[in-house]
Amino acid sequence: MINSTPEWISRSVSRLRSVVPAADKAAGGDGTASKPADKPARAAAADGSVTDVVAKTAVPRSTHERLVATLRRGQEALSPRALRRLLADLQEVVAPQVSELEGGRRAQAVAQWYTAAQPEERRDMWLLMCEQFAPDATRFKSARQRYEAAAGTAEEGQAEISLRRALVSPRTRLLQRFAVFPEGMRFLVDMRAELLPLLKADKRLLALDAELEQLFSTWFDVAFLELRRLSWDSPASLLEKLIKYEAVHDIRSWADLKNRLDSDRRCYGFFHPRLPNEPLIFVEVALLDRISSSITPLLDEAAAPVDITRANTAIFYSISNTQTGLRGVSFGDSLIKHVVETLAAEFPRLRTFATLSPIPGFRAWLGKNAPAMLERLDDKRRAELGRAVGFEPPQAAHFLAAVDKPLELDAKSPARQMLLECAAHYLGRDLQDGKPCDAVARFHLGNGARVERLNWGGDPSAKGLKQSYGLMVNYLYDLKRIDKHRAMLAQGKLPVSGEIESLLRG
């Protein structure tokens, strides 16, 4: 939601600027850029063909240039004639005289062409969407000048309306028409998933990505989503998707899945009415009598189910997003809130809501920050650690080698204690752009949780050891302090428990 008109204007102007083709900017309007030729093009010089070399070393032409050309150049996928035909088809989708239903039918025909097209031909369609369906910059400039002139007068409201309308691109209408036909939403989500990996290499596509993300943020707002419980009685096709999309702890078999859906477990997902059999995100929950310190018993298929009448703790041990194309659309925090409310209504005895979470970025972070962490030790601690690792004074390489097999470390090992302190610092002190460095911490702390406890050997799997030396962390959702924790985070302070605080003090 837009908080203020100045903020909206600033963000909207930024969006409009991103739409201007980078090539036009670089060349002062003639549609060519000054980027060096790519490697394959340079390698073509060995063929000795001047024509081929020129064609392959030429910088990419804009769709404006290609549409008025006669011949295809170099690596271009669609010929100018085919490009003009595709543009005409896209324009027919949003023709003013065409109804919503007919526009959707025409969009479906384009989608069918897209499905059969080669990757580079699909990219040509994206480029047409970016460059041929952009906002009218002249109209925007005029509307902006009118708005600025009307500021503080009775005409300000009407001027703002005109400015808003000037910022609505034909591309928005085009994408809306694609969402009309039955599989249209699926088509758009999959199209963005295909588009995302190419954004760094081709900045011309950024405008289309930004438009899709903005539309998805509206279309997939939590108000339009349905929370559904997934159980062993759910359709097999849906259960297969849980196996496919599980991103935290791989589901190894149907027996493994059945264990995760047993009587003492719950699994909930958010669904959209246009994607009725596709969970957008799902969470797995274990009902216990205490906060769990290890993932092993939770995944143990032979373990007896907990008596849920005695359960007082709900442990969220896996949260998985399923749709790459919805990257940037946040509904995980709403999922947890809805699940907490649902569980509390079903099990009034539940008092504790916490996670058992991985620390995916810890090993990589420590590899870079171990020297700085060792510098924090006083002489006594440094000497103790040196004796433990066999080198005095200990260097970062010595410490990292000593903790490389963490499960073999004794409970009183100085190296083990140092590793725990480093993890506490990583989760409870280290910030990047005012936010937690770790992606999972960023998610849960952003939702109002706090760092509660580190668990040694919490995930002894190969993946757990590779990511975080086997460490796992509990994030606690104290329902009475969620707003307080969010306020702390906004001030640049990460909320942690007394146990974590003691580790931070060393």
Side-chain angles (χ1 to χ4, degrees):
M1 180 168 291
I2 298 169
N3 297 322
S4 66
T5 297
E7 180 184 352
W8 170 79
I9 295 296
S10 176
R11 284 159 47 186
S12 297
V13 170
S14 178
R15 281 180 50 231
L16 180 66
R17 285 173 177 168
S18 73
V19 174
V20 178
D24 289 347
K25 284 185 177 180
D30 66 358
T32 60
S34 57
K35 293 170 65 177
D38 56 18
K39 291 182 180 178
R42 289 197 297 268
D47 296 341
S49 169
V50 175
T51 303
D52 288 344
V53 171
V54 170
K56 293 183 179 181
T57 57
V59 295
R61 293 189 295 182
S62 70
T63 58
H64 300 280
E65 294 174 299
R66 292 172 60 189
L67 287 167
V68 298
T70 304
L71 300 175
R72 177 169 28 203
R73 176 195 289 176
Q75 302 297 319
E76 294 169 355
L78 294 177
S79 67
R81 181 178 180 181
L83 197 67
R84 288 191 290 269
R85 185 164 57 246
L86 178 57
L87 175 60
D89 290 341
L90 291 171
Q91 290 171 332
E92 284 298 309
V93 172
V94 291
Q97 72 277 11
V98 172
S99 69
E100 194 82 17
L101 191 62
E102 175 61 17
R105 189 191 65 77
R106 295 181 182 187
Q108 186 173 16
V110 174
Q112 290 171 346
W113 172 88
Y114 181 94
T115 301
Q118 296 299 313
E120 288 304 314
E121 294 173 334
R122 295 179 178 187
R123 185 196 291 253
D124 278 349
M125 188 175 103
W126 302 341
L127 291 172
L128 285 175
M129 287 179 160
C130 288
E131 298 177 355
Q132 300 300 319
F133 293 86
D136 185 330
T138 302
R139 181 186 175 200
F140 166 75
K141 181 178 179 180
S142 175
R144 184 185 65 183
Q145 291 173 342
R146 179 184 173 190
Y147 174 77
E148 292 172 347
T153 71
E155 297 299 317
E156 182 176 359
Q158 187 59 47
E160 180 183 331
I161 292 173
S162 298
L163 183 56
R164 287 179 181 271
R165 289 175 176 169
L167 277 167
V168 177
S169 69
R171 189 187 311 113
T172 300
R173 188 63 177 153
L174 178 63
L175 295 173
Q176 288 172 335
R177 288 286 172 88
F178 272 92
V180 170
F181 66 91
E183 295 299 319
M185 194 71 77
R186 172 82 276 162
F187 170 79
L188 290 175
V189 172
D190 288 345
M191 185 176 78
R192 183 169 185 247
E194 188 179 2
L195 171 74
L196 285 170
L198 305 178
L199 294 178
K200 288 185 178 180
D202 195 342
K203 303 299 184 184
R204 296 174 298 172
L205 302 175
L206 288 173
L208 176 58
D209 175 63
E211 193 105 50
L212 282 167
E213 182 178 347
Q214 184 180 35
L215 286 171
F216 288 161
S217 295
T218 300
W219 292 341
F220 290 90
D221 185 85
V222 67
F224 305 125
L225 304 182
E226 176 191 2
L227 180 70
R228 282 159 49 185
R229 180 184 169 189
L230 294 88
S231 71
W232 189 246
D233 295 326
S234 297
S237 60
L238 189 52
L239 297 181
E240 288 175 346
K241 287 172 181 174
L242 293 185
I243 297 175
K244 174 183 177 181
Y245 290 129
E246 166 60 53
V248 184
H249 304 291
D250 293 341
I251 299 176
R252 302 178 299 275
S253 64
W254 284 98
D256 184 4
L257 177 61
K258 187 174 183 180
N259 175 58
R260 302 189 193 201
L261 301 175
D262 210 342
S263 60
D264 59 341
R265 305 298 177 86
R266 293 293 183 270
C267 180
Y268 298 93
F270 264 151
F271 291 79
H272 190 278
R274 297 302 300 274
L275 300 172
N277 299 313
E278 195 84 21
L280 307 177
I281 183 173
F282 61 89
V283 59
E284 298 170 63
V285 188
L287 303 177
L288 305 169
D289 58 2
R290 65 179 68 87
I291 294 181
S292 180
S293 60
S294 173
I295 194 63
T296 302
L298 298 187
L299 302 182
D300 184 1
E301 298 169 26
V306 173
D307 181 357
I308 58 175
T309 63
R310 297 176 177 272
N312 57 27
T313 302
I315 295 293
F316 301 86
Y317 65 93
S318 179
I319 301 176
S320 299
N321 286 289
T322 70
Q323 306 300 313
T324 303
L326 295 179
R327 191 179 76 183
V329 180
S330 176
F331 30 63
D333 56 342
S334 298
L335 175 66
I336 289 181
K337 292 174 188 174
H338 280 63
V339 170
V340 167
E341 293 172 359
T342 301
L343 289 172
E346 184 179 357
F347 303 101
R349 286 174 56 92
L350 292 179
R351 293 290 181 269
T352 303
F353 299 91
T355 78
L356 180 61
S357 300
I359 317 174
F362 177 52
R363 182 184 278 264
W365 175 88
L366 186 60
K368 298 177 181 178
N369 292 275
M373 294 302 298
L374 291 178
E375 286 296 321
R376 298 165 59 90
L377 297 175
D378 58 30
D379 292 341
K380 179 181 178 181
R381 291 284 310 281
R382 187 175 291 105
E384 290 174 347
L385 181 62
R387 288 192 294 271
V389 302
F391 294 91
E392 295 188 54
Q395 302 299 313
H398 306 143
F399 168 58
L400 293 174
V403 298
D404 193 51
K405 296 182 178 179
L407 301 183
E408 299 178 6
L409 294 175
D410 181 82
K412 297 182 179 180
S413 166
R416 172 169 167 166
Q417 179 64 23
M418 181 64 185
L419 188 63
L420 285 169
E421 291 175 11
C422 289
H425 185 90
Y426 173 63
L427 295 174
R429 286 289 184 270
D430 217 25
L431 292 167
Q432 185 175 3
D433 298 326
K435 297 179 180 180
C437 290
D438 188 78
V440 178
R442 195 155 53 242
F443 173 79
H444 289 296
L445 299 185
N447 292 340
R450 78 180 183 196
V451 186
E452 184 67 9
R453 186 178 72 189
L454 283 166
N455 300 297
W456 186 266
D459 184 1
S461 69
K463 181 179 179 180
L465 293 171
K466 182 179 180 180
Q467 288 184 336
S468 60
Y469 301 93
L471 287 170
M472 295 194 80
V473 59
N474 301 119
Y475 296 102
L476 179 69
Y477 281 86
D478 185 336
L479 304 185
K480 296 181 180 179
R481 293 181 171 84
I482 283 178
D483 289 340
K484 176 184 176 182
H485 292 159
R486 280 179 165 168
M488 290 175 61
L489 186 62
Q491 297 168 5
K493 184 175 181 181
L494 302 178
V496 300
S497 67
E499 182 175 329
I500 298 297
E501 192 66 52
S502 66
L503 286 170
L504 290 170
R505 291 195 295 267

PDB file of all heavy atoms in Angstrom, residues 408-420:
ATOM      1  N   GLU A 408      32.757 -34.755  16.007  1.00  0.00           N
ATOM      2  CA  GLU A 408      33.803 -35.451  16.759  1.00  0.00           C
ATOM      3  C   GLU A 408      34.338 -34.611  17.918  1.00  0.00           C
ATOM      4  O   GLU A 408      35.153 -35.095  18.715  1.00  0.00           O
ATOM      5  CB  GLU A 408      34.954 -35.821  15.815  1.00  0.00           C
ATOM      6  CG  GLU A 408      34.539 -36.766  14.690  1.00  0.00           C
ATOM      7  CD  GLU A 408      35.677 -37.077  13.737  1.00  0.00           C
ATOM      8  OE1 GLU A 408      36.817 -36.641  14.033  1.00  0.00           O
ATOM      9  OE2 GLU A 408      35.453 -37.738  12.709  1.00  0.00           O
ATOM     10  N   LEU A 409      33.896 -33.382  18.049  1.00  0.00           N
ATOM     11  CA  LEU A 409      34.400 -32.489  19.091  1.00  0.00           C
ATOM     12  C   LEU A 409      33.750 -32.792  20.431  1.00  0.00           C
ATOM     13  O   LEU A 409      32.531 -32.980  20.531  1.00  0.00           O
ATOM     14  CB  LEU A 409      34.150 -31.026  18.715  1.00  0.00           C
ATOM     15  CG  LEU A 409      34.922 -30.507  17.489  1.00  0.00           C
ATOM     16  CD1 LEU A 409      34.485 -29.082  17.161  1.00  0.00           C
ATOM     17  CD2 LEU A 409      36.424 -30.567  17.745  1.00  0.00           C
ATOM     18  N   ASP A 410      34.571 -32.809  21.458  1.00  0.00           N
ATOM     19  CA  ASP A 410      34.087 -33.032  22.822  1.00  0.00           C
ATOM     20  C   ASP A 410      33.232 -31.852  23.287  1.00  0.00           C
ATOM     21  O   ASP A 410      33.416 -30.720  22.837  1.00  0.00           O
ATOM     22  CB  ASP A 410      35.287 -33.210  23.762  1.00  0.00           C
ATOM     23  CG  ASP A 410      34.863 -33.473  25.190  1.00  0.00           C
ATOM     24  OD1 ASP A 410      34.557 -34.647  25.499  1.00  0.00           O
ATOM     25  OD2 ASP A 410      34.812 -32.508  25.987  1.00  0.00           O
ATOM     26  N   ALA A 411      32.304 -32.129  24.198  1.00  0.00           N
ATOM     27  CA  ALA A 411      31.388 -31.089  24.674  1.00  0.00           C
ATOM     28  C   ALA A 411      32.128 -29.916  25.308  1.00  0.00           C
ATOM     29  O   ALA A 411      31.631 -28.783  25.298  1.00  0.00           O
ATOM     30  CB  ALA A 411      30.397 -31.676  25.666  1.00  0.00           C
ATOM     31  N   LYS A 412      33.324 -30.168  25.876  1.00  0.00           N
ATOM     32  CA  LYS A 412      34.080 -29.105  26.540  1.00  0.00           C
ATOM     33  C   LYS A 412      35.175 -28.522  25.658  1.00  0.00           C
ATOM     34  O   LYS A 412      35.975 -27.713  26.115  1.00  0.00           O
ATOM     35  CB  LYS A 412      34.691 -29.639  27.831  1.00  0.00           C
ATOM     36  CG  LYS A 412      33.656 -30.074  28.859  1.00  0.00           C
ATOM     37  CD  LYS A 412      34.331 -30.543  30.143  1.00  0.00           C
ATOM     38  CE  LYS A 412      33.290 -30.969  31.186  1.00  0.00           C
ATOM     39  NZ  LYS A 412      33.938 -31.438  32.439  1.00  0.00           N
ATOM     40  N   SER A 413      35.186 -28.894  24.398  1.00  0.00           N
ATOM     41  CA  SER A 413      36.230 -28.440  23.497  1.00  0.00           C
ATOM     42  C   SER A 413      36.163 -26.929  23.293  1.00  0.00           C
ATOM     43  O   SER A 413      35.104 -26.377  22.980  1.00  0.00           O
ATOM     44  CB  SER A 413      36.087 -29.144  22.147  1.00  0.00           C
ATOM     45  OG  SER A 413      36.862 -28.503  21.164  1.00  0.00           O
ATOM     46  N   PRO A 414      37.287 -26.220  23.452  1.00  0.00           N
ATOM     47  CA  PRO A 414      37.310 -24.780  23.172  1.00  0.00           C
ATOM     48  C   PRO A 414      36.928 -24.466  21.721  1.00  0.00           C
ATOM     49  O   PRO A 414      36.336 -23.423  21.448  1.00  0.00           O
ATOM     50  CB  PRO A 414      38.754 -24.386  23.459  1.00  0.00           C
ATOM     51  CG  PRO A 414      39.244 -25.406  24.433  1.00  0.00           C
ATOM     52  CD  PRO A 414      38.576 -26.686  24.007  1.00  0.00           C
ATOM     53  N   ALA A 415      37.281 -25.376  20.794  1.00  0.00           N
ATOM     54  CA  ALA A 415      36.928 -25.151  19.390  1.00  0.00           C
ATOM     55  C   ALA A 415      35.417 -25.205  19.214  1.00  0.00           C
ATOM     56  O   ALA A 415      34.834 -24.412  18.462  1.00  0.00           O
ATOM     57  CB  ALA A 415      37.607 -26.185  18.507  1.00  0.00           C
ATOM     58  N   ARG A 416      34.778 -26.150  19.900  1.00  0.00           N
ATOM     59  CA  ARG A 416      33.320 -26.256  19.831  1.00  0.00           C
ATOM     60  C   ARG A 416      32.659 -25.013  20.417  1.00  0.00           C
ATOM     61  O   ARG A 416      31.710 -24.460  19.834  1.00  0.00           O
ATOM     62  CB  ARG A 416      32.860 -27.504  20.575  1.00  0.00           C
ATOM     63  CG  ARG A 416      31.354 -27.625  20.750  1.00  0.00           C
ATOM     64  CD  ARG A 416      30.993 -29.002  21.259  1.00  0.00           C
ATOM     65  NE  ARG A 416      29.607 -29.073  21.728  1.00  0.00           N
ATOM     66  CZ  ARG A 416      28.959 -30.202  21.971  1.00  0.00           C
ATOM     67  NH1 ARG A 416      29.570 -31.369  21.786  1.00  0.00           N
ATOM     68  NH2 ARG A 416      27.720 -30.189  22.415  1.00  0.00           N
ATOM     69  N   GLN A 417      33.171 -24.552  21.559  1.00  0.00           N
ATOM     70  CA  GLN A 417      32.613 -23.356  22.182  1.00  0.00           C
ATOM     71  C   GLN A 417      32.791 -22.139  21.278  1.00  0.00           C
ATOM     72  O   GLN A 417      31.883 -21.323  21.119  1.00  0.00           O
ATOM     73  CB  GLN A 417      33.292 -23.106  23.521  1.00  0.00           C
ATOM     74  CG  GLN A 417      32.806 -21.870  24.274  1.00  0.00           C
ATOM     75  CD  GLN A 417      31.349 -21.953  24.682  1.00  0.00           C
ATOM     76  OE1 GLN A 417      30.799 -23.050  24.806  1.00  0.00           O
ATOM     77  NE2 GLN A 417      30.717 -20.800  24.895  1.00  0.00           N
ATOM     78  N   MET A 418      33.951 -22.060  20.630  1.00  0.00           N
ATOM     79  CA  MET A 418      34.210 -20.941  19.733  1.00  0.00           C
ATOM     80  C   MET A 418      33.268 -20.984  18.528  1.00  0.00           C
ATOM     81  O   MET A 418      32.766 -19.943  18.078  1.00  0.00           O
ATOM     82  CB  MET A 418      35.677 -20.990  19.262  1.00  0.00           C
ATOM     83  CG  MET A 418      36.062 -19.841  18.341  1.00  0.00           C
ATOM     84  SD  MET A 418      35.959 -18.240  19.191  1.00  0.00           S
ATOM     85  CE  MET A 418      36.317 -17.125  17.840  1.00  0.00           C
ATOM     86  N   LEU A 419      32.994 -22.181  18.020  1.00  0.00           N
ATOM     87  CA  LEU A 419      32.098 -22.308  16.881  1.00  0.00           C
ATOM     88  C   LEU A 419      30.692 -21.836  17.255  1.00  0.00           C
ATOM     89  O   LEU A 419      30.020 -21.146  16.475  1.00  0.00           O
ATOM     90  CB  LEU A 419      32.059 -23.758  16.393  1.00  0.00           C
ATOM     91  CG  LEU A 419      31.314 -24.004  15.077  1.00  0.00           C
ATOM     92  CD1 LEU A 419      31.986 -23.265  13.928  1.00  0.00           C
ATOM     93  CD2 LEU A 419      31.244 -25.506  14.776  1.00  0.00           C
ATOM     94  N   LEU A 420      30.242 -22.186  18.464  1.00  0.00           N
ATOM     95  CA  LEU A 420      28.924 -21.741  18.923  1.00  0.00           C
ATOM     96  C   LEU A 420      28.879 -20.218  19.045  1.00  0.00           C
ATOM     97  O   LEU A 420      27.891 -19.577  18.689  1.00  0.00           O
ATOM     98  CB  LEU A 420      28.585 -22.393  20.266  1.00  0.00           C
ATOM     99  CG  LEU A 420      28.185 -23.866  20.216  1.00  0.00           C
ATOM    100  CD1 LEU A 420      28.149 -24.464  21.633  1.00  0.00           C
ATOM    101  CD2 LEU A 420      26.817 -24.034  19.552  1.00  0.00           C
TER     102      LEU A 420
END
